[in-house]
Amino acid sequence: SAELTQAPAVSVALGQTVRITCQGDSLRNFYASWYQQKPGQAPVLVIYGKDNRPSGIPDRFSGSRSGDTAALTITGAQAEDEADYYCDSRDSSGDTVVFGGGTKVTVL
Amino acid sequence: QVQLVQSGAEVAKPGSSVKVSCKASGGTFSSYAITWVRQAPGQGLEWMGGIIPVFDTTDYAQKFQGRITITADKSTNTAYMVLSSLRYEDTAVYYCARPLSQLLLTNSFNIWGLGTLVIVSS
């Protein structure tokens, strides 16, 4: 089955920019979505498609893709952005979905 | 705006089955897939499978094939997930979620239930 690989953790200084990546073969054919999850809460969709934000998501969140790697960038990270971030994608077969292992973002 | 309301926490014995429900309120039900995602304590998200109610089509992650059944009742706008032959490692929060796109079992889940804690314990 497909796999999406994320770094386990990353830190960013308040107000600086952080880029979280997600790598997998399925990303050559399908866009990743990105979710933010805070402790004890359900995930929240922050980026989908080429680079789309659902209503209510700040524009400091952006998405990109190159080859087999998708990225979520937070430009000007805020304290409230400290959370776990997950990518997902349709599997290469297109019939199922796979999640990355998640990246814990710490805002210093 | 659609909300997904899940059933309450469950405690189940190893080897038994658990049934979790997910009721959609406030919008269209049948044309959007309902997907089940679980999260074990301290672990990441894991896609389990989903159903498109209007077609009654399902897809399951290979890991759960033979142990999971997802159904939908269009008359009550409710989806169900049954996981059988429970093991201790099935202890997790189980979420139902709905994608942005209609008529596809796809990703980009913009609506999530609050989760149902299932504890497998003897």
Side-chain angles (χ1 to χ4, degrees):
Chain A
S1 61
E3 290 185 354
L4 296 178
T5 302
Q6 297 182 241
V10 66
S11 61
V12 58
L14 185 67
Q16 296 304 301
T17 296
V18 62
R19 184 171 179 264
I20 306 161
T21 61
C22 172
Q23 183 179 23
D25 285 341
S26 63
L27 298 178
R28 296 184 183 278
N29 299 309
F30 299 104
Y31 286 112
S33 301
W34 291 92
Y35 304 87
Q36 176 192 72
Q37 187 181 35
K38 296 181 179 179
Q41 297 182 19
V44 173
L45 181 67
V46 295
I47 291 290
Y48 66 96
K50 189 175 182 180
D51 178 21
N52 301 300
R53 285 174 287 106
S55 174
I57 302 302
D59 60 5
R60 62 179 179 270
F61 291 91
S62 62
S64 61
R65 181 181 72 172
S66 179
D68 68 349
T69 301
L72 172 70
T73 301
I74 309 174
T75 304
Q78 302 299 302
E80 61 265 31
D81 299 334
E82 186 162 290
D84 294 326
Y85 290 84
Y86 294 90
C87 62
D88 79 0
S89 167
R90 294 174 75 171
D91 182 84
S92 297
S93 68
D95 294 332
T96 61
V97 174
V98 61
F99 281 95
T103 298
K104 182 176 181 58
V105 172
T106 300
V107 179
L108 303 172
Chain B
Q1 173 71 320
V2 173
Q3 288 187 307
L4 299 178
V5 180
Q6 298 187 225
S7 49
E10 301 263 9
V11 179
K13 294 190 183 303
S16 69
S17 298
V18 68
K19 186 174 186 177
V20 183
S21 68
C22 172
K23 182 176 177 61
S25 63
T28 305
F29 173 73
S30 295
S31 59
Y32 288 87
I34 294 290
T35 288
W36 291 90
V37 176
R38 78 176 185 181
Q39 187 170 37
Q43 302 300 309
L45 303 173
E46 183 172 32
W47 187 86
M48 301 179 71
I51 186 168
I52 306 175
V54 69
F55 301 139
D56 257 337
T57 53
T58 56
D59 265 303
Y60 303 124
Q62 190 167 7
K63 174 178 179 177
F64 300 102
Q65 290 275 2
R67 284 211 300 145
I68 187 172
T69 303
I70 298 174
T71 58
D73 183 340
K74 293 184 283 291
S75 68
T76 60
N77 289 355
T78 303
Y80 300 91
M81 187 279 297
V82 174
L83 189 63
S84 61
S85 302
L86 288 171
R87 310 157 184 164
Y88 295 112
E89 53 266 36
D90 291 320
T91 294
V93 174
Y94 289 76
Y95 293 102
C96 60
R98 195 182 91 162
L100 280 164
S101 300
Q102 296 189 62
L103 304 178
L104 287 174
L105 200 58
T106 185
N107 61 329
S108 303
F109 307 113
N110 66 320
I111 300 174
W112 292 73
L114 294 181
T116 296
L117 175 62
V118 174
I119 297 173
V120 181
S121 173
S122 56

